[in-house]
Amino acid sequence: MALGAVAEPPVRRRGSDYAQLSRRISQAGLLERRPGWYVTRIAFTLGAFVAGWVAVFLLGDSWWQLPLAALMAVATTQVAFLGHDAGHRQMFRRRGPSELVGLLAGNAAVGLSYGWWVDKHNRHHANPNHEDEDPDVGAGALVWTPEQALETRGFGRWMAQRQAYFFFPMLLLEGLSLHVASIRAIIGREPNGGGYTVPMRHRAVEAALLVAHTAAYVALLLAVMSPVKALLFAVVHQALWGLYMGCAFAPNHKGMPMPTAEDELDFLRKQVLTSRNVRGSRLVDTTLGGLNYQIEHHLFPNMPRANLRRAQPIVRAYCAEQGIPYAETGLVESYRQALGHLHEVGRPLRG
C-alpha cells in the first residue's frame, strides 16, 4: 500500500513540521522526567510481582496454582512494560540507570534479553511497518504483505491462507519464542567465525541473569509442587504471558499502511501514518502499558508513559492542522482491523 495515496502533504516546509510539534510538546513540559510517578509504578509493579511468587511458594502443591499462574502472566507482562520504558530512557536520562532497570526487569525477572530487545525495538522505531527495515513485519510464522504470502511454500502457504484464524492461538507460543530468541541473540554468531549476530553491551551479564532466572524459576516450581503441576503452571504462565504481550502490541501497527522504498516520508508522517492509537480509560492505559498512545510514543519515544495521555490532544490537533490522518479506534476494532489485514494478505493464495 503506497503511503502517497493515504494523505496529501500540505504545501509547506515539511522538514520543519516535526520541529514545530516538538516545540509545542516541550513547552508543555511533557518531555520532563516523572521520577515520582515511576517510583510509585515500579514499587507497585514489582511488589505485586514478588507477592505473586511468594503466593506460589505458600500455596504449595495445589491445583489452585493454575489460576495463580494466569495472574502471574499479568504481573510478568507489567514488569516487561517497565523494561520497555527503561529501554526508551523514559525513567532516567542517563544510560546506566536505564540499563540497570532494563536488565533487572528483562533478564532477571522476565527471562527476556534486554540487549536483544533494545536492538530489535530500535530498528522497529526507525522504520515502522517497513517490510525491509522493520523486524516486526518480516516474513516468518505470519506474513504481512501479499508478496510475502506468495513466497511461502508447503505448510507455510497453508498457514498464510488461514493466518487470521490462527493469530491469537499462535500468540500462546509467543512467550516461548521470546525466550528462544533471547538465547539465540546472546550466543548466535555470524558464519565462518564472525562476530555476534546481535550487538549487546553486557553480553556476559545478560547470559548470567538469564541462567539465574531459569534456574530460580525451575527450582521454585519443583520445590513447591509436583512435576506435573509444575509443568502445567509453566505452560499456563508462559502461554498467557505471550498472549498478553502479543495483544498489547498487535493493535499498534498491524493493518496500518506499510511504506516502501518509493515512499518519501519525513519523520512526522512516517511515524503517524503507520501507527494506530487505541481509545480508552486509564484502565486501558495501565492494561496496555501506555502503548495505546502509539502515535505519541513513536513521535517521542523517551516521553514518560504518564505524559502520553496529556500529549495526545496536542499531537492530534497538530496532525489536523497539517492534514495528516490520525488513526484512533477502540480496542476491539483495532483487533478487527489487524485480523482483517492478515486475512486480506492471504487472499492471493485463496484465489
Side-chain angles (χ1 to χ4, degrees):
M1 181 175 183
L3 292 186
V6 175
E8 289 295 329
V11 180
R12 57 170 296 152
R13 294 174 303 153
R14 292 179 58 182
S16 67
D17 292 347
Y18 177 74
Q20 292 185 36
L21 174 60
S22 184
R23 281 194 293 271
R24 294 187 189 184
I25 292 294
S26 182
Q27 289 169 0
L30 298 178
L31 297 179
E32 297 297 323
R33 295 298 177 267
R34 298 284 299 274
W37 187 90
Y38 269 114
V39 166
T40 302
R41 176 66 61 177
I42 291 173
F44 178 81
T45 303
L46 292 184
F49 182 75
V50 172
W53 285 117
V54 171
V56 169
F57 179 79
L58 295 177
L59 189 56
D61 192 26
S62 167
W63 288 110
W64 286 105
Q65 291 281 12
L66 299 187
L68 186 53
L71 293 177
M72 287 307 302
V74 175
T76 302
T77 306
Q78 289 294 322
V79 172
F81 288 153
L82 292 178
H84 170 270
D85 293 3
H88 284 294
R89 298 196 195 179
Q90 296 177 14
M91 301 176 181
F92 316 101
R93 293 189 184 279
R94 293 173 52 230
R95 171 184 284 175
S98 299
E99 289 185 339
L100 177 60
V101 172
L103 290 169
L104 292 177
N107 295 64
V110 177
L112 175 68
S113 168
Y114 174 74
W116 164 74
W117 177 84
V118 167
D119 173 74
K120 175 176 178 289
H121 199 60
N122 284 345
R123 288 186 283 127
H124 158 70
H125 267 263
N127 292 284
N129 256 21
H130 193 293
E131 181 181 356
D132 299 322
E133 304 292 341
D134 183 355
D136 289 350
V137 293
L142 298 171
V143 291
W144 307 102
T145 67
E147 292 76 17
Q148 290 178 349
L150 291 172
E151 292 176 357
T152 57
R153 296 290 183 272
F155 180 71
R157 174 162 290 214
W158 184 88
M159 280 290 298
Q161 295 176 25
R162 303 161 177 81
Q163 61 181 2
Y165 302 103
F166 287 103
F167 178 70
F168 286 111
M170 288 175 67
L171 289 182
L172 295 171
L173 298 175
E174 179 66 12
L176 176 62
S177 175
L178 292 172
H179 291 309
V180 172
S182 296
I183 296 172
R184 292 179 62 183
I186 288 176
I187 66 175
R189 287 183 175 273
E190 299 288 351
N192 302 320
Y196 288 104
T197 56
V198 178
M200 203 172 294
R201 283 172 51 82
H202 307 289
R203 192 175 305 273
V205 173
E206 292 215 25
L209 288 175
L210 284 183
V211 170
H213 165 87
T214 304
Y217 186 86
V218 173
L220 174 61
L221 296 188
L222 291 179
V224 300
M225 61 188 88
S226 68
V228 172
K229 291 189 180 73
L231 177 61
L232 291 175
F233 180 99
V235 169
V236 171
H237 177 216
Q238 297 300 322
L240 294 185
W241 171 57
L243 178 65
Y244 187 178
M245 290 280 284
C247 287
F249 285 90
N252 303 336
H253 303 280
K254 310 314 179 193
M256 295 302 292
M258 299 183 66
T260 65
E262 288 73 32
D263 295 300
E264 295 183 4
L265 298 173
D266 65 344
F267 179 80
L268 176 66
R269 287 161 181 80
K270 180 193 296 185
Q271 302 300 336
V272 174
L273 294 176
T274 59
S275 302
R276 178 196 295 113
N277 275 16
V278 175
R279 288 190 297 268
S281 63
R282 293 187 183 276
L283 176 61
V284 174
D285 294 0
T286 300
T287 302
L288 297 182
L291 298 176
N292 46 315
Y293 302 107
Q294 192 67 193
I295 294 174
E296 289 72 27
H297 172 58
H298 262 257
L299 289 171
F300 304 99
N302 63 346
M303 178 182 290
R305 192 197 311 180
N307 289 347
L308 293 170
R309 173 179 280 267
R310 295 168 55 198
Q312 184 187 34
I314 300 175
V315 174
R316 184 166 47 196
Y318 187 77
C319 287
E321 292 175 18
Q322 302 301 313
I324 303 173
Y326 182 98
E328 185 179 23
T329 187
L331 182 60
V332 174
E333 174 62 17
S334 73
Y335 293 133
R336 189 198 69 78
Q337 293 181 15
L339 293 177
H341 172 74
L342 289 173
H343 190 65
E344 185 64 24
V345 164
R347 180 181 296 276
L349 305 182
R350 295 192 299 275

